[in-house]
Amino acid sequence: MKTLFNAIRAAIFSAGFIFLWGWAALGVRRRYEGTLGFALAGWTRFLGIAVMAVGGILAFTCVATFVTRGEGTPAPFDPPRKFVAAGPYRFVRNPMYIGGFIVLFGFGLYEQSPAIVVFTLPWLLLAHLFVILYEEPHLRATFGAAYEEYCRSVCRWLPLRSPSR
């Protein structure tokens, strides 16, 4: 029952984040489309669907791991209760942000919007700053030595070839 409640909360929060960043990306497109001096080809629409699917699968796997292993949600205000170093987190410390970046980039391709594609770069910088300034200090304070060991064995953004143990 607790897992079901966590899954419902995670689904609601995840949908909220999707709508928030989709709304922001569409706002960027409305504001800056045509000012960048280049256009995307028609075939990028199909590529965008595939890219969004890959990012979505990665993000969904992260959410499912947080719900089942971490007994919580991906939302910073309702985080997992247990330390999670399983699933995609065995390869890289921030796979959910990577999945979100991939989805947003794919959305830019799907919309054939150079403005959205370029928007993904400051989005990634904001995610990096959030990780550095809030998330990592919070996880160190919450999980202590286990998180420190995890940081030593798993890279922040680039996946390792072999998963951590």
Side-chain angles (χ1 to χ4, degrees):
M1 189 64 155
K2 184 167 65 168
T3 301
L4 176 62
F5 185 61
N6 287 338
I8 291 169
R9 288 191 341 264
I12 291 168
F13 298 152
S14 297
F17 283 113
I18 291 167
F19 286 122
L20 170 70
W21 290 112
W23 173 77
L26 291 173
V28 165
R29 184 185 74 182
R30 279 190 297 278
R31 173 73 174 96
Y32 295 103
E33 204 62 51
T35 64
L36 296 175
F38 67 96
L40 297 178
W43 58 266
T44 62
R45 206 167 175 88
F46 299 107
L47 179 61
I49 292 169
V51 170
M52 283 190 295
V54 168
I57 290 167
L58 177 57
F60 176 80
T61 304
C62 293
V63 171
T65 303
F66 271 12
V67 168
T68 58
R69 298 282 185 98
E71 298 180 4
T73 76
F77 49 84
D78 188 17
R81 296 348 175 230
K82 294 181 178 178
F83 179 65
V84 175
Y89 293 91
R90 292 178 5 196
F91 299 95
V92 65
R93 292 197 316 252
N94 296 293
M96 195 171 320
Y97 294 113
I98 294 169
F101 169 78
I102 293 169
V103 168
L104 195 56
F105 185 82
F107 184 61
L109 295 176
Y110 175 77
E111 289 290 321
Q112 298 175 317
S113 171
I116 294 174
V117 169
V118 170
F119 171 68
T120 62
L121 299 175
W123 183 92
L124 195 58
L125 176 62
L126 286 174
H128 178 70
L129 291 173
F130 181 75
V131 165
I132 299 290
L133 299 174
Y134 171 76
E135 205 167 79
E136 288 182 352
H138 176 73
L139 291 170
R140 277 187 182 87
T142 304
F143 297 113
Y147 184 71
E148 287 294 338
E149 175 59 32
Y150 177 66
C151 288
R152 282 191 290 277
S153 62
V154 178
C155 292
R156 183 181 288 135
W157 295 111
L158 300 175
L160 298 174
R161 289 184 184 186
S162 61
S164 75
R165 296 196 168 125

